[in-house]
């Protein structure tokens, strides 16, 4: 490659090749990689015209060398920050030579910035978010393990998820959260994600004038481990969130009876896996959201067989919009499953793994119309044999 492409291709032809790629995929990370091939490639890849169209900076830790000085050089010499709308620095060491605040101030049209898994000092992050508060276009911030009380008034998405090394690891990150101030400063928030976090409110008092997040549509806190407060977190975060569509509280440890606070919402996607739900709570859920649910996961909860069958009968109503249902590890029986198959005509996925009340040939995941038809035949065959 060094002999043919590195030396013998005319610079004009090479430039056209690089331009074709950058037009399709963007300058970053392609041009920094191409510049390492040879001196000629470095010279052509450094042409300022090739960098002018860059609007998204994709510099995740697998893209190019993981060194702060590389980032600083790119931002200082190659990128026209006024044109940048998205920046992804996931996995980089952003301490030291990289001035994130200065970069943010120059990115007049920045919409999204991803700093997840980054090494960023708390003071730098606070300055970054304080600067973001004056940015008229910034709507998404992704970062892990750190939270500041300086928020962005235009913020629509906040992801403070902490990555776990194993699916059920107890390794979590404790976060103090001034929820009332957060609500006051982020009235436009639509998506909140905090996987495997300790979300401890810094204030113990629930203010009567709290209105939650009126624009919130997605609330995901899988692995939340606070065992006291009787679902106070849901009350603090979600009171007034009438537009909520997606709720993911799988593997959470708090009193799920607090879900009744959300009866005014039209929940479409609900994940309650491994939440130790009570029979009474399941009845409330089915009654409140039977007409709106598109995806429901209540797997690995210990419902009584009678109550679960009754709830599945309720779920299997005429006009059901349900697409996905996961009953793995529950006491789902053939009668309840048959009712769902008959009435939920839009169903595409049904999980029945390890359901003790079902026969071994049914204890699996059924995906698509063909497999669901096979399930119907199996149930019909068993029902015929039992008579």
């Amino acid at each position: 490659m060094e002999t043919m492409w590195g030396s013998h291709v005319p610079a004009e032809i090479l430039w056209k090749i690089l331009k074709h790629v950058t037009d399709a995929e963007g300058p970053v990370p392609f041009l920094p990689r191409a510049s390492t091939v040879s001196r000629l490639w470095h010279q052509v890849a450094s042409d300022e015209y090739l960098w002018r169209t860059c609007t998204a900076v994709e510099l995740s830790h697998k893209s190019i060398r993981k060194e702060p000085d590389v980032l600083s050089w790119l931002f200082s010499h190659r990128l026209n920050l006024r044109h940048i709308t998205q920046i992804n620095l996931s996995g980089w060491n952003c301490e030291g030579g990289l001035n994130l605040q200065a970069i943010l101030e120059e990115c007049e049209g920045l919409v999204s910035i991803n700093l997840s898994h980054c090494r960023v000092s708390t003071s730098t992050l606070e300055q970054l978010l304080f600067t973001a508060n004056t940015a008229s276009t910034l709507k998404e911030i992704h970062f892990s393990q750190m939270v500041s009380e300086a928020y962005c008034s235009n913020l629509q998405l906040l992801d403070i998820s902490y990555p776990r090394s194993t699916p059920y690891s107890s390794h979590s990150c404790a976060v103090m959260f001034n929820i009332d101030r957060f609500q006051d400063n982020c009235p436009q928030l639509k998506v909140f994600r905090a996987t495997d976090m300790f979300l401890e409110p810094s204030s113990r008092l629930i203010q009567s004038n709290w209105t939650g997040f009126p624009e919130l549509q997605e609330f995901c806190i899988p692995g939340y481990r606070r065992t006291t407060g009787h679902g106070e977190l849901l009350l603090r975060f979600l009171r007034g969130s009438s537009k909520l569509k997606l709720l993911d509280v799988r593997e959470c440890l708090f009193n799920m009876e607090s879900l009744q606070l959300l009866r005014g919402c039209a929940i479409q996607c609900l994940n309650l896996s491994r939440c130790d739900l009570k029979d009474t709570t399941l009845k409330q859920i089915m009654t409140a959201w039977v007409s709106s649910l598109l995806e429901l996961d209540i797997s690995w909860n210990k419902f009584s067989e009678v109550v679960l069958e009754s709830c599945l009968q309720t779920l299997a109503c005429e006009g059901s919009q349900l697409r996905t249902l996961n009953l793995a590890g529950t006491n789902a029986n053939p009668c309840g499953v048959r009712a769902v198959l008959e009435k939920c005509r839009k169903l595409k996925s049904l999980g029945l793994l390890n359901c003790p009340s079902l026969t071994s040939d049914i204890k699996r995941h059924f995906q698509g119309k063909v497999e669901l038809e096979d399930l119907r035949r199996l149930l019909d065959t068993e029902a015929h044999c039992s008579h």
Side-chain angles (χ1 to χ4, degrees):
M1 183 173 181
E2 170 66 27
T3 300
M4 181 176 181
W5 291 100
S7 304
H8 296 287
V9 176
E12 295 80 5
I13 301 299
L14 181 58
W15 186 90
K16 290 182 178 180
I17 294 174
L18 299 188
K19 183 179 184 302
H20 178 76
V21 177
T22 55
D23 287 346
E25 301 183 3
V28 182
F30 171 69
L31 288 181
R33 289 173 173 173
S35 65
T36 64
V37 173
S38 68
R39 291 182 179 179
L40 174 61
W41 280 60
H42 183 275
Q43 178 183 352
V44 176
S46 300
D47 185 87
E48 292 185 1
Y49 186 87
L50 296 175
W51 293 84
R52 288 181 181 178
T53 59
C54 186
T55 59
V57 183
E58 182 67 33
L59 293 173
S60 60
H61 67 285
K62 294 182 180 180
S63 298
I64 55 178
R65 289 179 298 163
K66 194 174 180 180
E67 300 174 7
D69 57 339
V70 175
L71 280 179
S72 299
W73 183 86
L74 282 174
F75 281 112
S76 300
H77 297 87
R78 289 292 178 264
L79 299 174
N80 187 343
L81 297 182
R82 293 173 182 261
H83 295 166
I84 302 298
T85 60
Q86 301 177 38
I87 296 178
N88 180 6
L89 300 178
S90 177
W92 279 75
N93 179 359
C94 296
E95 295 178 320
L98 188 65
N99 191 335
L100 287 175
Q101 185 178 357
I103 290 172
L104 187 61
E105 290 173 349
E106 287 194 46
C107 293
E108 299 176 353
L110 189 65
V111 175
S112 173
I113 184 168
N114 188 342
L115 299 174
S116 59
H117 316 296
C118 283
R119 290 181 58 185
V120 182
S121 66
T122 303
S123 59
T124 299
L125 186 59
E126 289 179 352
Q127 292 176 353
L128 178 67
L129 290 176
F130 179 79
T131 305
N133 194 44
T134 63
S136 59
T137 60
L138 188 62
K139 294 181 179 179
E140 297 184 6
I141 301 176
H142 303 256
F143 59 90
S144 300
Q145 306 183 37
M146 283 178 277
V147 170
S148 168
E149 292 184 0
Y151 303 106
C152 175
S153 61
N154 302 300
L155 193 65
Q156 295 184 13
L157 182 151
L158 179 64
D159 189 339
I160 54 172
S161 299
Y162 186 89
R164 288 181 287 181
S165 56
T166 59
Y168 303 107
S169 169
S170 60
H171 185 63
S172 301
C173 182
V175 175
M176 295 299 294
F177 224 74
N178 191 325
I179 297 176
D180 50 344
R181 182 175 177 183
F182 185 32
Q183 290 174 340
D184 288 341
N185 288 280
C186 298
Q188 299 183 43
L189 190 72
K190 293 183 179 180
V191 177
F192 179 82
R193 298 173 187 150
T195 302
D196 197 36
M197 304 288 284
F198 281 111
L199 296 176
E200 293 289 347
S202 57
S203 172
R204 297 297 177 183
L205 298 178
I206 300 178
Q207 305 296 329
S208 60
N209 61 342
W210 281 6
T211 58
F213 296 97
E215 301 298 321
L216 194 67
Q217 298 177 15
E218 178 181 330
F219 186 71
C220 301
I221 55 169
Y224 175 68
R225 294 304 181 201
R226 188 167 181 245
T227 57
T228 60
H230 305 291
E232 181 182 293
L233 184 76
L234 293 185
L235 173 61
R236 286 172 172 263
F237 263 87
L238 302 180
R239 177 162 43 168
S241 300
S242 59
K243 297 181 181 180
L244 191 67
K245 301 297 181 185
L246 188 154
L247 178 63
D248 186 348
V249 290
R250 65 185 183 273
E251 302 175 44
C252 290
L253 298 179
F254 54 67
N255 190 344
M256 288 295 166
E257 292 181 359
S258 57
L259 290 173
Q260 64 183 326
L261 299 168
L262 309 176
R263 293 178 65 89
C265 302
I267 302 294
Q268 295 179 350
C269 303
L270 181 62
N271 194 327
L272 298 170
S273 178
R274 299 181 186 273
C275 287
D276 196 22
L277 288 177
K278 297 180 180 179
D279 289 349
T280 53
T281 305
L282 181 63
K283 291 179 181 179
Q284 293 173 352
I285 292 170
M286 295 301 185
T287 303
W289 300 314
V290 62
S291 61
S292 63
L293 281 171
L294 303 178
E295 300 178 10
L296 176 63
D297 189 337
I298 52 174
S299 59
W300 309 106
N301 285 293
K302 299 178 181 179
F303 310 117
S304 68
E305 183 175 335
V306 174
V307 169
L308 181 55
E309 178 184 340
S310 175
C311 289
L312 292 179
Q313 295 281 357
T314 300
L315 185 64
C317 64
E318 292 293 343
S320 171
Q321 301 297 308
L322 193 66
R323 270 77 162 175
T324 302
L325 177 62
N326 191 356
L327 301 173
T330 67
N331 286 315
N333 62 24
C335 292
V337 174
R338 188 178 293 107
V340 171
L341 289 175
E342 290 177 357
K343 295 293 181 66
C344 300
R345 297 298 182 181
K346 296 184 178 181
L347 193 68
K348 297 180 180 179
S349 176
L350 179 59
L352 300 175
L353 183 68
N354 287 357
C355 293
S357 299
L358 301 177
T359 57
S360 58
D361 54 345
I362 295 178
K363 293 180 182 179
R364 61 186 180 89
H365 187 87
F366 294 85
Q367 184 76 32
K369 292 183 178 180
V370 175
E371 293 189 4
L372 289 175
E373 285 297 331
D374 291 341
L375 175 58
R376 289 188 180 92
R377 286 193 289 269
L378 289 171
L379 291 172
D380 290 341
T381 300
E382 290 184 2
H384 178 75
C385 293
S386 63
H387 288 89

